[in-house]
Amino acid sequence: MTEQHQEWNSQLAFIMAMIGSAIGLGNIWRYPYVLYSNGGGAFLLPYFISIVCMAVPYLFLEYAAGYNFKTSLPNMFRRVQSKFEVVGWFISLAPFLILTYYIVIIAWDFIYFFLSFYHGWGSNPNLFFTETLLHSTSSISGLGDIILPILGSLIVLWLIIWFISHKDLNDGIGKYSKVLIPSLMIIMAVVVLIAVTLPGASIGYSALFNPKWYSICDPHIWLVAAGQIIFSLSLGWGVVSTYASYLPKGTSLVKNGIVVTIANCGFEFFTAIGVFSILGYMSFVQDVPLRYLVTEGTGLIFVAFPSIFNEMGVLSYIIGPLFFICVLFAGITTTLSLLEPITLGISNKFLIERKKVTTALCVIGFLISIIFATGLGNTLLTIFDNFLSNFIVIFGIILECLILGWLYNIDKLLDIVNTNAPFKLGKWWNFLIKFIIPIVFFAMWADGIIKLIADGSTVAIAVEALITIIMIIVPVILTRKPPAPRNSK
Ligand code: PHE
């Protein structure tokens, strides 16, 4: 077999796949909270500046790298200097590990989708979520307690991911993103429209945007803004370079990048209005100040929202299932992108068919994800997430900026970004990639380490040590293994 690199058969497929990766939990459960708790309307300023000065320039770097090398990340770094192949494996492995728990959250959501038709979470959604569903414990013995409904939901989701991913790029990720993303947008529009007409909705969205200008003097808020947009646009996890490597010649990277950024940021902005309208409704009917109701993450979608749906009467049987299906669609398209960097890496180096690689990876991923379907799952998930997304991923971004900015030809990458661009980027882009972005990420990284050390329990430290070992050993093994011999043409 010879190395074949697939290509998107249309711009639309690429854009939908990119939007599919970008729109995920970060937009639905993270952004509204981050916006509210970091200065409300005033947060939009550091957020907008981060988009323009950091996220979009870095997005272009990932685009240009993928488009230039037209190969997997390990191969790309190997071509910069052979010793860097290991960095490519490191960056590709992180999203795969993240996938093993990200999919568990989607599995919970899938269960809630069914529950939402009859408020199956009962009158105490908090108790239902932590005890009845998750059997949540922080004791190691929880590992022996496999929760069957979660396991069942996981099996279905892994089958869906496998079914889409094992097909060729255009028949799989391309085709399904073109269906799922427009559907997601339409359904979310309906949810937001219903939400803003609820009594008390304005209490929520006006509080959301109420600007607290003093907050922009806090440097921490600037780091939060940069972290949010980087996460939301799926940057730094190798996904963007991998998807961009499938672009055919003659594509305008700048135009594509701008469309994806606007779609992603527009989506999270409107979702935030919807989420806060729903919270505003609760504040109104229960006469509770909004600040007591605002939460993020699992607390928002699996506890606060079900509690609100319990109060809402007949309308909740419409808005509830629609909301949970949005999370499901957003989650599935994101998980597809998390599998792609390592799939391409392995099939490229060892010349194994995509079908076989995705099948093996889905089986391995499923087996790992079972640990998150146990009573200890929720505790482990939090530790994995804190460590991987605050520490490992940011480390990868810094390495990528340094290697591509300093050791590769950054002027060549700038030329690639500028090809067919509606406007040209100047040398300031090189400066951002070489200096500003790594420095900001270094600050974010240091901030993350301080937090990790501050709340490091023994279990957390043990798990983090284990992840570190995996993140070193697996890339080293994959680097050392000789590639499959190429047929000469
Ligand atoms: N952008 C995704 C979200 O908002 C998260 C993600 C980050 C996915 C990086 C892939 C790569 O949920």
Side-chain angles (χ1 to χ4, degrees), residues 147-166:
I147 302 152
L148 293 180
I150 301 181
L151 185 69
S153 177
L154 264 180
I155 294 176
V156 175
L157 283 168
W158 275 109
L159 283 173
I160 297 176
I161 303 299
W162 169 80
F163 176 76
I164 301 178
S165 290
H166 90 290

Side-chain angles (χ1 to χ4, degrees), residues 21-27 102 231-235 237 239 334 337-338:
S21 172
I23 294 182
L25 296 172
N27 306 58
Y102 196 100
F231 180 81
S232 174
L233 275 175
S234 299
L235 301 175
W237 304 23
V239 166
T334 299
S337 75
L338 294 173

Side-chain angles (χ1 to χ4, degrees), residues 63-109:
Y63 270 0
Y67 186 73
N68 175 44
F69 291 96
K70 295 222 177 317
T71 186
S72 64
L73 279 148
N75 225 346
M76 169 175 125
F77 281 100
R78 192 175 52 76
R79 287 198 204 153
V80 177
Q81 271 181 34
S82 59
K83 60 173 181 275
F84 293 138
E85 179 182 334
V86 71
V87 175
W89 287 114
F90 177 85
I91 297 177
S92 310
L93 182 62
F96 178 66
L97 286 184
I98 290 168
L99 166 61
T100 62
Y101 66 81
Y102 196 100
I103 196 166
V104 179
I105 300 169
I106 311 303
W108 299 342
D109 175 79

Side-chain angles (χ1 to χ4, degrees), residues 291-417:
R291 63 177 184 282
Y292 295 126
L293 300 171
V294 179
T295 81
E296 66 170 335
T298 48
L300 178 75
I301 59 178
F302 302 123
V303 179
F305 271 27
S307 311
I308 299 174
F309 296 147
N310 280 352
E311 296 291 316
M312 210 180 260
V314 72
L315 199 57
S316 66
Y317 297 99
I318 302 169
I319 196 170
L322 290 180
F323 178 77
F324 290 112
I325 202 115
C326 280
V327 178
L328 184 70
F329 285 4
I332 289 178
T333 47
T334 299
T335 47
L336 295 173
S337 75
L338 294 173
L339 189 60
E340 198 55 26
I342 192 93
T343 302
L344 182 64
I346 293 177
S347 65
N348 236 330
K349 176 161 182 178
F350 305 110
L351 296 184
I352 309 175
E353 274 176 58
R354 179 184 178 87
K355 271 194 181 62
K356 291 188 184 147
V357 179
T358 46
T359 307
L361 286 172
C362 285
V363 172
I364 298 170
F366 166 65
L367 294 175
I368 301 176
S369 66
I370 294 177
I371 59 168
F372 301 108
T374 63
L376 194 62
N378 199 15
T379 309
L380 287 176
L381 197 152
T382 313
I383 300 173
F384 263 67
D385 189 39
N386 281 340
F387 189 61
L388 283 161
S389 44
N390 290 330
F391 190 77
I392 299 285
V393 169
I394 296 186
F395 185 56
I397 297 186
I398 299 172
L399 287 178
E400 194 163 340
C401 283
L402 296 180
I403 294 176
L404 294 173
W406 290 88
L407 303 171
Y408 186 68
N409 186 349
I410 187 81
D411 288 319
K412 181 173 175 196
L413 294 178
L414 177 61
D415 283 345
I416 291 176
V417 176

